[in-house]
Amino acid sequence: MGPHRKALRTTAVGAVSATLVAGSALGIAPTAQAAPNPVRFVDIGGDGGTVLKANVVTPAGADGSRRYPLLVMPTSWGLPQIEYLAQAQQLADSGYVVVTYNVRGFWQSGGEIEVAGPPDVADASKVIDWALAHTPSDAGRVGMAGVSYGAGISLLTAAHDERVRAVASLSGWADLIGSIYAGRTQHVQAAALLDGASIVTGRQGAELRQVFDDFYSSDLAKEPELIAWGKKRSAATFVDRINDNGTAIMLANAWGDSVFPPNQYADFYEKLTGPKRLQMRPGDHATAELTGLFGLPNDVWKDTERWFDHHLRGMDNGIDREQPIRLKSRSGGGYEGYPDWKSVGANDRKIALAGSRTLHTNVNSGADGGVVFLSSILDQVAQLPPTASIPLLPRRWAAVWQSEKYATAQQVRGTAGLHTTLTPTKESGTLVAYLYDVGPLGLGKLVSHAPYTFHGRTPGKPFGVDLELYSTAYDVPAGHRLALVVDTVDPLYIEHNPSGAQLTFSSPANDPSYVSVPLREQ
């Protein structure tokens, strides 16, 4: 990837990010101005004295005679401090002191962007200190919530500050490397979106700029450093601390989140031992929560308030008696409840990947995961996921296997998995696996996909590949079939196929290849 191409991409993404930020500001500000609860704009001293721009919303009539539960809300990546004001007003109406603040390195807050590093976690604790000293908030009833960047910081703070009793982490991450480097493959469009937004709305330090440059460069010598950097910024690294603290954790995400895919949240959820809840819906990154930021009715924010009402206010609202996992299918319908993640796809159906297929690399076959944000939003709003004509995919660059036609609807729920044997002609390579819902005319609608990259393999020597596709909930209509497509190029990712490389997929008799499809129990 040349520097000119990278600069063009980053500039374009930055412009789009700025437009989104401006639109959010214009939409949220009038709601905040019209609200009855008092709002104060304050400066809070963060870690090392860094000034954090914040606002405080207290319940109407608060006179210091009583204490209220405290909610601290760090802003999303690239958004200003008024991001949560509409929700802060509604929460204050319900009896919370709410402090929202611009994280360091963005907008008018001081410092440089730390990407949820130790200074960001220390900042959150400083904000709690300040709120307990300067507002009528209760030290025994502290919660944190946030969208995206704020979600990640909230989880990390819960691991390091035992005062945080409850968290609502919305469209965030628990595993940073497992999000933008899943399958050992750089998710370049997602990274470029974050990079561009931070250039427009924040201040990148030398470390962050180097991280982005190393990420784009595909320099394997830098991989251990990048992984170590990401682990420090991942709540999954500190899950034992969260469990020891007994923090009540609510996780919410979208099936099509192109920045933080849902798998890493599901894995993290399974490791939590305290009170927990996992909610998955159609959409892309932060789109499920968006209307709530404008003060409009929104089920994510409604459940967030219910979560805090129970765990910080002691209300018996029934949320603790509901099934802890709540999913909504991309194909429509209401919420489905499950007791645990393994029950989501209780039935597992395998599609055999028989025979041998050899792919030539470095050409996009026409199967791909779409465009960051745009594709999953279309799926959310109009149920129009990325499509491909399966019969017309060129077999030189795409390997295709199909199931039989299904006599009844198939409710795909959870995480599909690819198991195959791969023989490369070069030591490195990238493949992308796609699962399609194929109609009678051969048009395939994308159900799920995931990339996979390998390095250091012996050319001509076969090895096993096990790849989890991104978790989803999708209903395949009766009369349709499922197809697995594998190719080697997708605009969402950086690929690592040397010129002239070929990949051969086989199904040995003693280790047959298949794709496992998790189905809802009928």
Side-chain angles (χ1 to χ4, degrees):
M1 179 181 303
H4 180 63
R5 180 181 171 190
K6 185 178 77 176
L8 287 174
R9 184 192 63 240
T10 303
T11 302
V13 171
V16 172
S17 302
T19 302
L20 290 173
V21 168
S24 298
L26 291 173
I28 297 171
T31 304
Q33 293 167 0
N37 301 303
V39 180
R40 286 190 292 148
F41 290 87
V42 300
D43 290 349
I44 297 177
D47 185 52
T50 298
V51 174
L52 305 174
K53 295 293 183 177
N55 54 68
V56 183
V57 187
T58 54
D63 57 6
S65 62
R66 56 172 292 195
R67 294 284 168 178
Y68 301 89
L70 168 67
L71 292 180
V72 172
M73 303 173 71
T75 53
S76 301
W77 185 274
L79 290 186
Q81 69 188 84
I82 61 171
E83 175 188 5
Y84 301 119
L85 273 185
Q87 281 301 317
Q89 292 288 354
Q90 294 180 19
L91 289 164
D93 282 342
S94 299
Y96 292 91
V97 172
V98 185
V99 180
T100 78
Y101 69 96
N102 240 126
V103 291
R104 66 169 55 217
F106 284 102
W107 292 84
Q108 293 179 318
S109 286
E112 296 176 338
I113 301 168
E114 295 287 342
V115 195
D120 286 311
V121 175
D123 284 347
S125 290
K126 290 286 188 180
V127 172
I128 294 172
D129 293 342
W130 183 94
L132 295 176
H134 296 90
T135 71
S137 51
D138 185 346
R141 295 183 292 168
V142 177
M144 290 190 68
V147 175
S148 184
Y149 195 36
I153 292 174
S154 294
L155 282 178
L156 285 161
T157 305
H160 292 86
D161 192 329
E162 62 183 13
R163 294 175 297 180
V164 180
R165 304 310 307 151
V167 168
S169 180
L170 315 179
S171 290
W173 78 92
D175 182 347
L176 190 57
I177 296 301
S179 295
I180 62 173
Y181 195 52
R184 210 177 176 187
T185 309
Q186 297 102 317
H187 297 211
V188 67
Q189 286 190 14
L193 180 73
L194 298 173
D195 189 1
S198 65
I199 290 172
V200 172
T201 64
R203 295 173 298 282
Q204 293 186 359
E207 181 188 38
L208 178 57
R209 186 64 261 158
Q210 189 64 52
V211 166
F212 275 123
D213 290 344
D214 290 344
F215 184 84
Y216 296 134
S217 73
S218 302
D219 183 355
L220 282 178
K222 298 291 186 180
E223 186 181 54
E225 295 176 25
L226 286 172
I227 291 174
W229 179 87
K231 284 185 175 180
K232 291 179 183 177
R233 291 159 169 81
S234 298
T237 305
F238 309 102
V239 66
D240 289 344
R241 295 187 188 181
I242 293 176
N243 290 335
D244 289 344
N245 292 339
T247 314
I249 303 293
M250 172 179 157
L251 307 170
N253 204 357
W255 295 120
D257 194 317
S258 49
V259 180
F260 304 127
N263 298 47
Q264 46 93 31
Y265 252 12
D267 291 343
F268 180 68
Y269 173 87
E270 287 291 274
K271 296 173 183 175
L272 293 170
T273 59
K276 58 184 180 178
R277 184 179 179 92
L278 176 65
Q279 301 187 180
M280 297 285 194
R281 305 167 177 81
D284 204 310
H285 184 62
T287 61
E289 301 88 4
L290 183 61
T291 57
L293 295 179
F294 292 89
L296 301 173
N298 181 280
D299 57 350
V300 185
W301 287 105
K302 178 181 177 181
D303 285 344
T304 294
E305 184 171 346
R306 292 177 64 225
W307 187 251
F308 288 129
D309 282 347
H310 179 74
H311 291 285
L312 296 183
R313 300 177 67 197
M315 292 179 61
D316 184 12
N317 56 15
I319 198 168
D320 58 319
R321 295 187 294 276
E322 296 173 359
Q323 296 278 38
I325 295 181
R326 291 174 58 80
L327 313 179
K328 184 177 284 189
S329 171
R330 290 164 47 204
S331 305
Y335 283 101
E336 304 164 1
Y338 300 88
D340 49 43
W341 185 250
K342 68 181 179 182
S343 300
V344 172
N347 294 328
D348 185 73
R349 173 171 291 184
K350 288 184 171 62
I351 301 172
L353 308 180
S356 178
R357 308 281 197 280
T358 296
L359 293 185
H360 295 257
T361 63
N362 301 307
V363 174
N364 189 343
S365 70
D368 62 55
V371 178
V372 65
F373 275 129
L374 177 60
S375 297
S376 291
I377 291 175
L378 284 174
D379 187 35
Q380 176 185 7
V381 174
Q383 294 183 15
L384 292 174
T387 60
S389 176
I390 304 304
L392 297 181
L393 291 175
R395 284 356 188 218
R396 180 181 177 85
W397 297 296
V400 179
W401 297 266
Q402 297 193 70
S403 72
E404 76 285 356
K405 287 184 179 179
Y406 296 114
T408 59
Q410 305 293 297
Q411 295 181 312
V412 179
R413 299 290 186 273
T415 310
L418 167 65
H419 173 76
T420 190
T421 296
L422 174 61
T423 305
T425 60
K426 305 289 185 180
E427 67 173 14
S428 296
T430 296
L431 63 93
V432 186
Y434 309 89
L435 188 65
Y436 282 100
D437 160 24
V438 185
L441 299 180
L443 182 66
K445 294 183 177 181
L446 188 64
V447 176
S448 184
H449 80 285
Y452 177 89
T453 293
F454 61 89
H455 297 289
R457 293 291 178 175
T458 302
K461 183 177 181 179
F463 64 94
V465 171
D466 287 288
L467 172 63
E468 286 191 345
L469 278 61
Y470 297 137
S471 304
T472 194
Y474 183 97
D475 299 339
V476 180
H480 287 213
R481 65 181 78 213
L482 286 169
L484 182 81
V485 176
V486 179
D487 73 0
T488 63
V489 175
D490 190 306
L492 288 172
Y493 310 108
I494 292 178
E495 52 91 8
H496 298 262
N497 295 299
S499 179
Q502 297 179 27
L503 305 178
T504 297
F505 300 88
S506 59
S507 184
N510 63 344
D511 186 18
S513 296
Y514 61 85
V515 59
S516 62
V517 181
L519 300 176
R520 183 185 183 190
E521 190 170 3
Q522 300 297 311

